[in-house]
Amino acid sequence: MTSVLVVIPTYNEALTIGKAVDRTRTSVPDAHILVVDDASPDGTGALADELAELDDHVHVLHRGGKQGLGAAYVAGFGWGLARDYDVIVEMDADGSHQPEELPRLLHAAENADLVIGSRYVPGGRTVNWPYKRQAISRIGNTYTRVALGTALRDATGGFRAFRAAALRELDIESVASQGYCFQVDLAWRAVRGGLRVIEVPITFVEREQGESKMDGKIVREALWRVTRWGVEHRARQLRGLVGGSRR
């Protein structure tokens, strides 16, 4: 890996952003970090600016307001692609994703287009996660697997490493999904595009500070979009079968 960018979106993460940056810099010293802040009222953006002033491996992208997780990642990916990073990582600021596991993802990215840090492959696990959240996640991933016919165990996971060339193929500017659905959207595009997608086990730890951004709107969006994609996918398969039988 010649250059790695870790994109960390933030909204009211003043309590956690410093630790997230420090742990990431320690785990992967050569990597650069881009904090994408959506004008956090709690001053997260200003704290990120202070970190950037002290470390030339830390950068900050300020956005005008809360525009959603998916849009933040798209902006961060675009920033990284414009600067020719080879691998671009997405990671939460709240401590749920362990920066110490980044080297495992980056090693796997040497032979893959997209590496997903997975809670649900052998060796993966969750720690201190509320039962309701875990149930939503497991049910959502099972539904996604069945609806889309994909073998991915953790299509909603948000700890990932992309080869830059793969992101360019995914047409990220056209992605409108948010939350869980953003993760499914990119993974599904990669699978449909014939890219090499692999999952490596991670330990997902429930955040100890701050508040989760998950809400019913995000879950409903994921259900609606995945259902639509699944119907479209099955329709394409059916048309292919009918077309093949006529020949």
Side-chain angles (χ1 to χ4, degrees):
M1 301 301 167
T2 55
S3 59
V4 175
L5 177 68
V6 180
V7 178
I8 304 178
T10 56
Y11 185 77
N12 287 348
E13 298 290 358
L15 296 175
T16 61
I17 187 59
K19 184 179 292 186
V21 168
D22 287 345
R23 291 173 64 187
T24 302
R25 292 287 287 120
T26 299
S27 299
V28 190
D30 291 334
H32 283 233
I33 298 169
L34 175 66
V35 178
V36 182
D37 186 66
D38 277 8
S40 297
D42 71 348
T44 302
L47 290 175
D49 284 335
E50 293 176 8
L51 295 171
E53 289 177 4
L54 297 173
D55 188 341
D56 63 3
H57 279 55
V58 180
H59 315 275
V60 186
L61 176 60
H62 294 279
R63 303 203 307 153
K66 190 175 182 181
Q67 302 170 45
L69 179 66
Y73 272 129
V74 168
F77 293 163
W79 190 97
L81 291 174
R83 289 159 179 79
D84 293 323
Y85 286 92
D86 297 306
V87 176
I88 300 179
V89 175
E90 60 173 82
M91 188 180 79
D92 286 351
D94 61 14
S96 295
H97 299 149
Q98 307 297 291
E100 293 75 18
E101 296 183 312
L102 258 176
R104 185 187 309 146
L105 272 68
L106 295 176
H107 177 72
E110 294 177 7
N111 298 296
D113 298 299
L114 165 59
V115 179
I116 299 176
S118 178
R119 297 159 288 188
Y120 305 130
V121 295
R125 66 191 185 110
T126 61
V127 176
N128 297 329
W129 215 17
Y131 174 79
K132 182 178 179 180
R133 287 285 306 281
Q134 187 164 170
I136 291 173
S137 175
R138 286 187 176 276
I139 293 170
N141 273 289
T142 299
Y143 182 73
T144 297
R145 196 160 55 249
V146 172
L148 302 181
T150 174
L152 295 177
R153 307 296 298 182
D154 197 354
T156 65
F159 193 13
R160 302 179 170 193
F162 293 87
R163 301 291 305 190
L167 278 176
R168 290 190 173 95
E169 288 189 38
L170 297 181
D171 187 23
I172 59 174
E173 293 298 332
S174 70
V175 177
S177 310
Q178 298 295 328
Y180 276 169
C181 202
F182 173 79
Q183 312 298 357
V184 176
D185 196 339
L186 288 192
W188 179 229
R189 289 177 185 225
V191 170
R192 282 187 301 158
L195 301 182
R196 179 166 168 74
V197 182
I198 64 175
E199 295 180 271
V200 299
I202 62 165
T203 298
F204 180 95
V205 181
E206 171 65 354
R207 65 186 301 155
E208 295 180 355
Q209 295 176 301
E211 297 180 357
S212 171
K213 311 304 187 297
M214 179 57 59
D215 58 26
K217 181 180 178 180
I218 290 175
V219 174
R220 288 191 295 272
E221 182 207 19
L223 178 62
W224 177 76
R225 289 187 184 271
V226 170
T227 300
R228 191 190 73 185
W229 295 335
V231 170
E232 292 172 350
H233 175 57
R234 301 302 180 188
R236 285 193 296 269
Q237 288 181 320
L238 182 58
R239 286 195 296 269
L241 289 173
V242 172
S245 66
R246 289 174 178 171
R247 287 195 289 271

